[in-house]
Amino acid sequence: MPPKNSKNNKPGAVPQRRHWALRFLIGATVIGVAGVLCAGMLLLTAMAVAYPNLPDISDLSDYQPKLPLRIYAADGALIGEFGEERRQLTPSDNIPKAMKQAVLAIEDARFYQ
């Protein structure tokens, strides 16, 4: 005969192990939901901070690189260049196909996918 002071003597009583598992499951769910909410709030905060610093899309479509000031003599010879950056704008048609493929392979192997 079971002892009279046992907690499981009541009809429909749930064993103590189930209470512990249920509490653990509820606690893990609450922590998971809180983690997802914190991650979402962190993402929204990061976007709110970064958004004002993003360039306007029209600036990206109308890109004007900084070219140095080049001074030429009357006969067409280059006398000098002035400026912080020494760039020479090259149309993409003048760049060899192997060079384009090499840059794409280094930067983004899945570019054409």
Side-chain angles (χ1 to χ4, degrees):
M1 185 167 236
K4 296 203 180 222
N5 59 1
S6 175
K7 293 181 181 179
N8 293 334
N9 286 341
K10 298 177 188 172
V14 179
Q16 190 65 22
R17 273 183 276 158
R18 285 194 191 163
H19 284 297
W20 179 82
L22 186 61
R23 287 181 188 162
F24 177 76
L25 186 61
I26 291 172
T29 304
V30 168
I31 289 173
V33 169
V36 168
L37 289 175
C38 286
M41 289 174 42
L42 182 65
L43 180 66
L44 287 174
T45 303
M47 289 181 67
V49 169
Y51 185 75
N53 297 330
L54 293 176
D56 188 24
I57 193 72
S58 63
D59 294 343
L60 298 175
S61 62
D62 187 31
Y63 176 65
Q64 300 274 331
K66 295 179 183 177
L67 298 175
L69 172 65
R70 294 186 177 102
I71 300 178
Y72 295 94
D75 62 353
L78 181 64
I79 296 175
E81 292 182 349
F82 301 96
E84 294 178 17
E85 299 175 4
R86 306 273 191 244
R87 295 184 182 189
Q88 184 173 356
L89 192 60
T90 305
S92 66
D93 296 339
N94 295 349
I95 300 173
K97 184 177 180 180
M99 179 66 174
K100 292 178 188 178
Q101 291 174 341
V103 170
L104 286 176
I106 292 170
E107 294 294 328
D108 187 4
R110 298 176 297 158
F111 180 76
Y112 291 113
Q113 292 178 354

